[in-house]
Amino acid sequence: QVQLVESGGGLVQPGGSLRLSCAASGNIFSINTMGWYRQGPGKERELVATITRGGSTNYADSVKGRFTISRDDAKNTMYLQMDSLKPEDAAVYYCNAQINLWSYWGQGTQVTVSS
């Protein structure tokens, strides 16, 4: 059984920073593309950023220059460094990973941006 567990969400003031983590565990042979998605109140889930096994990254226009995605394959963990946070970044953030040719989702972690 494979699991993804996110952590690092919380309440932050506008302009602040948070670092999200997504740890994969279980019977893992390979992890290919990993990504972060988010879903705000009344909105559809949207792509935030992805990172391939080779380290190539892709970002939504709304977060370019402010968010940085990375991964540590030795730890089966992905990160999302979020800087210069805005109120519109508030959402539940989900991680996704292609593990052993299957797609897995984490349970989500809440990010609230408010003064």
Side-chain angles (χ1 to χ4, degrees), residues 63-98:
V63 306
K64 281 181 181 177
R66 300 187 298 119
F67 291 11
T68 303
I69 189 172
S70 61
R71 60 191 284 172
D72 184 341
D73 288 336
K75 297 181 179 179
N76 290 336
T77 301
M78 172 180 63
Y79 306 96
L80 185 68
Q81 177 66 41
M82 305 187 293
D83 299 318
S84 302
L85 282 160
K86 304 176 181 180
E88 52 263 42
D89 294 318
V92 178
Y93 283 70
Y94 299 90
C95 69
N96 173 269
Q98 309 299 315

Side-chain angles (χ1 to χ4, degrees), residues 6-14 16-21 36 80 82 85-87 89-93 107-115:
E6 301 103 333
S7 60
L11 172 64
V12 64
Q13 292 185 343
S17 298
L18 280 176
R19 189 194 195 204
L20 305 183
S21 298
W36 288 98
L80 185 68
M82 305 187 293
L85 282 160
K86 304 176 181 180
D89 294 318
V92 178
Y93 283 70
Q107 81 289 351
T109 184
Q110 178 72 50
V111 172
T112 302
V113 184
S114 176
S115 55

Side-chain angles (χ1 to χ4, degrees), residues 30-34 51-53 71 73 97-101:
S30 66
I31 303 178
N32 292 310
T33 299
M34 305 180 79
I51 184 167
T52 68
R53 190 174 182 179
R71 60 191 284 172
D73 288 336
Q98 309 299 315
I99 300 175
N100 304 340
L101 303 181

